[in-house]
Amino acid sequence: MFITAYLLGSIPSGVWLGKKLYKKDIRNYGSGNSGTTNTFRVLGVKAGILVLLADVLKGTLAASLPYLVHSDLNPMVLGLGAILGHTFPIFAEFKGGKAVATSAGVLLAYNPTFFIFCVVLFLVILFFSRMVSFSSMLALLIITPSTLLTNDWILTTIAAILTVFIIYRHKDNIKRIRNGTESKVPFGFGYKKDSSQTKK
């Protein structure tokens, strides 16, 4: 099941959609990332929404495997497999995204109520900061201690691990935030295509 979860996570939805429908490899544009945010930036809103849904679904399906086969294995363990797959996809030269959307999908399957809290928190931070990267990191720093309220030590432990891992994956974004050059979401949460912008 862990291998299956990894393979699900390895599906590079942004790369495949970009190549198939737009004849572009999004890793050559924008931030060079293959995830949801760069898809919005390079290919536009419609493509971004499709990739967002696909990346969330990967995590949800992976974490749902124990329910489907009536296994006692904790769903969060398999969720880690999907997150590793998304970050280091075997189908895309092990160069993947930052796993924020896939992590959200894992949480959706594991604890839907807490998932809603996390989404609302992220959107509130995004509304004020207008930076997806900053919003993701700050939300994680708030979410991890908030998991203590669930009395679920597995959720808290994995949330702490993911917080460190995802913030590390955002190291280039942190540099741009410090330099004041990080991309911002226009008001209304829309994205304009920026496919002419080569990889930074």
Side-chain angles (χ1 to χ4, degrees):
M1 283 192 293
F2 190 86
I3 293 174
T4 300
Y6 169 79
L7 293 176
L8 281 171
S10 287
I11 297 173
S13 52
V15 175
W16 285 359
L17 185 143
K19 288 183 176 181
K20 184 69 175 180
L21 299 183
Y22 296 85
K23 310 303 179 184
K24 293 181 181 295
D25 186 339
I26 62 172
R27 294 171 297 181
N28 296 327
Y29 301 91
S31 65
N33 191 267
S34 64
T36 299
T37 302
N38 203 40
T39 302
F40 271 105
R41 184 182 298 117
V42 176
L43 302 180
V45 174
K46 292 181 180 179
I49 292 174
L50 287 175
V51 171
L52 172 62
L53 294 175
D55 287 351
V56 169
L57 183 60
K58 292 189 301 186
T60 302
L61 286 176
S64 298
L65 288 174
Y67 307 134
L68 298 175
V69 300
H70 306 290
S71 170
D72 293 331
L73 185 63
N74 191 288
M76 292 298 290
V77 175
L78 296 181
L80 283 177
I83 291 167
L84 286 174
H86 180 81
T87 309
F88 307 107
I90 193 173
F91 304 126
E93 298 84 42
F94 301 100
K95 299 177 181 178
K98 296 183 174 71
V100 175
T102 301
S103 298
V106 172
L107 185 59
L108 174 60
Y110 186 70
N111 191 329
T113 302
F114 195 66
F115 165 82
I116 294 173
F117 161 75
C118 295
V119 171
V120 172
L121 174 65
F122 170 79
L123 291 177
V124 169
I125 298 172
L126 180 61
F127 179 80
F128 289 103
S129 72
R130 295 174 56 204
M131 291 183 287
V132 175
S133 58
F134 175 81
S135 302
S136 299
M137 290 184 286
L138 181 56
L140 281 167
L141 289 172
I142 297 174
I143 288 168
T144 296
S146 298
T147 60
L148 295 171
L149 299 176
T150 66
N151 294 316
D152 186 337
W153 69 269
I154 293 179
L155 177 59
T156 299
T157 301
I158 292 181
I161 293 171
L162 287 178
T163 297
V164 174
F165 178 68
I166 291 176
I167 289 178
Y168 172 76
R169 293 282 293 173
H170 279 82
K171 58 185 183 298
D172 291 334
N173 301 85
I174 293 173
K175 293 178 182 178
R176 290 195 292 270
I177 290 171
R178 288 176 174 175
N179 296 333
T181 58
E182 179 69 335
S183 298
K184 292 187 176 182
V185 178
F187 288 112
F189 299 107
Y191 271 89
K192 295 180 179 180
K193 288 185 181 180
D194 192 19
S195 57
S196 62
Q197 182 182 6
T198 56
K199 179 179 176 180
K200 294 180 180 178

